[in-house]
Amino acid sequence: MKLRWILPALCASAVLLAVGQPASAAQTLRNLVSIEGVRENPLVGYGLVVGLNGSGDSTQVKFASQSVVNMLKQFGVKMPDGSDAKSKNVATVMVSAVFPPGYRRGQPIDITVSSLGDAKSLRGGALLLTPLRAADNEVYALAQGNVVVGGLNAAGKSGSSVTVNTPTSGRIPNGAVIEREIATDFSSKPTVRLSLRHPHFQTATNIVEAINRRFGQIASTSDATSIDVIAPENPTQRVAFVAKLEGLPIDVGNENPKVVFNSRTGTVVIADGLRVRAAAVTHGSLKVVISESSKVSQPNAFAQGQTTVTPQSNVSVDQGSGQMFKWPAGAKLQSIIDVVNSLGASPDDIMAILQALDQAGAIEGELVVI
């Protein structure tokens, strides 16, 4: 596979180049920091999806039948002691959502519904009323609605089946309503704290200088992670002040160039600005192919023998033509790509080559494996 320069819209390829703005280009402050006290909060709940066409949890999922029994008790339906509510039209699910910052009681939020048991599909199901809790175990939202599933599962009587995407997970747009608000100290403190998404001493210094040039000596920092800014006490004025802060252009400090490997997908991202020291690398491969076949031995008509089947194995070894190439000291990203492209290296080859260069101390950057 050939490496090439790829625009952001085409970043689904197996090998990508992180070629964008220069590391020192100006960015707006809202892209660099998050504001303390204004953040999202995760919510989670346990519920039941009903109305499935026989694709729900099987009788092997004991907690599914127990959940149905407990639900029926709430509506005055008492099951015989020790009996199981066996219904393949019901699936146990976990419901997750995000509480956006500043949301008030009565506002809707989207939720995600995921199967907890062995249900085949949630398509066509409806989520029953489910309380959503935060880390403090308090209920902050109530969820209910028809599940929208993008996946598909179909099976025949012979046992053959077809599955498209993931039919055991879906979403309900505006499927939950906020019932309890999350308090914030955004307007109660004398200062507003800006937390850098990527801590950097130079970036923190540039933010302080940009704010002080615009509004006077109101910003300060004690580390590379956060900046404290004196803000107006009036809530309306504070909101308008933070809006102006977020629009400030900031010169970002130079980051250490990185090479990022995703071993699960084979993706390799090489940041612009990566350089290598002088190094020689050999590239080759060893391929072993073992093929199995069967041969039938048939005796003559009057030999009174038996027909036998004898296995036949064929083993071949193909050692690729090894090549050695050399990068000059200080080689830039384009030089690296040109050399690797000339070899026709795959993403796995690129990962092996760059990992070896990093072990040899020849990469002037950071190697990250995810």
Side-chain angles (χ1 to χ4, degrees):
M1 185 182 75
K2 298 291 185 179
L3 286 174
R4 58 187 183 278
W5 295 97
I6 300 177
L7 296 175
L10 302 177
C11 62
S13 304
V15 182
L16 309 179
L17 304 182
V19 183
Q21 294 181 338
S24 59
Q27 299 185 33
T28 54
L29 184 61
R30 69 172 60 90
N31 296 330
L32 302 176
V33 302
S34 59
I35 301 173
E36 188 174 289
V38 182
R39 67 181 182 89
E40 297 178 338
N41 291 273
L43 303 177
V44 68
Y46 171 82
L48 293 174
V49 171
V50 299
L52 303 175
N53 188 16
S55 61
D57 292 337
S58 68
T59 56
Q60 302 297 324
V61 183
K62 299 301 181 182
F63 55 84
S65 59
Q66 182 181 353
S67 298
V68 173
V69 171
N70 293 339
M71 179 196 67
L72 293 176
K73 285 182 180 179
Q74 298 178 16
F75 293 95
V77 179
K78 182 174 176 58
M79 299 286 292
D81 294 338
S83 63
D84 291 335
K86 300 178 181 179
S87 176
K88 292 186 178 180
N89 295 341
V90 180
T92 56
V93 296
M94 295 302 296
V95 184
S96 58
V98 172
F99 194 122
Y103 264 44
R104 302 299 181 186
R105 186 176 303 168
Q107 289 186 272
I109 58 175
D110 297 343
I111 60 175
T112 300
V113 181
S114 304
S115 173
L116 184 62
D118 58 0
K120 300 295 188 298
S121 175
L122 299 181
R123 180 177 290 273
L127 175 70
L128 298 182
L129 188 63
T130 303
L132 301 182
R133 304 174 184 271
D136 58 0
N137 205 33
E138 295 289 341
V139 176
Y140 286 89
L142 296 177
Q144 182 170 281
N146 296 323
V147 183
V148 179
V149 178
L152 174 66
N153 178 269
K157 294 183 178 179
S158 64
S160 59
S161 63
V162 175
T163 301
V164 180
N165 295 330
T166 306
T168 54
S169 179
R171 290 179 60 82
I172 305 179
N174 297 329
V177 178
I178 300 300
E179 296 295 335
R180 183 196 296 252
E181 300 174 6
I182 296 180
T184 176
D185 57 359
F186 169 72
S187 59
S188 60
K189 291 184 177 181
T191 61
V192 171
R193 171 162 292 185
L194 310 177
S195 300
L196 270 72
R197 293 189 173 94
H198 302 285
H200 194 283
F201 284 103
Q202 187 59 55
T203 302
T205 301
N206 293 344
I207 292 175
V208 171
E209 293 176 351
I211 294 175
N212 290 339
R213 281 196 305 266
R214 176 73 181 275
F215 301 100
Q217 300 299 315
I218 61 173
S220 62
T221 181
S222 59
D223 51 38
T225 304
S226 61
I227 298 97
D228 291 322
V229 183
I230 300 175
E233 294 183 3
N234 183 279
T236 303
Q237 295 178 357
R238 175 169 292 210
V239 171
F241 172 72
V242 173
K244 293 179 181 179
L245 279 182
E246 290 184 330
L248 285 178
I250 304 296
D251 291 330
V252 182
N254 293 325
E255 294 283 351
N256 192 27
K258 296 181 180 180
V259 179
V260 181
F261 299 147
N262 189 324
S263 57
R264 296 183 299 274
T265 62
T267 303
V268 182
V269 179
I270 305 176
D272 192 17
L274 183 76
R275 296 175 182 268
V276 296
R277 298 189 178 94
V281 179
T282 182
H283 173 75
S285 60
L286 180 66
K287 183 188 297 183
V288 179
V289 179
I290 303 177
S291 58
E292 297 285 348
S293 61
S294 298
K295 184 177 181 181
V296 178
S297 177
Q298 181 70 33
N300 294 329
F302 301 101
Q304 299 182 352
Q306 295 182 350
T307 301
T308 59
V309 179
T310 58
Q312 302 290 324
S313 299
N314 183 25
V315 180
S316 62
V317 178
D318 179 19
Q319 185 171 3
S321 57
Q323 304 179 52
M324 178 168 284
F325 54 92
K326 180 181 179 181
W327 279 309
K332 297 183 179 180
L333 176 62
Q334 186 61 55
S335 300
I336 300 172
I337 299 306
D338 290 341
V339 172
V340 176
N341 272 341
S342 65
L343 297 175
S346 67
D348 290 337
D349 295 328
I350 298 168
M351 282 192 271
I353 291 172
L354 293 178
Q355 284 176 337
L357 286 171
D358 181 64
Q359 291 295 320
I363 291 183
E364 297 180 359
E366 183 180 353
L367 196 65
V368 179
V369 180
I370 60 176

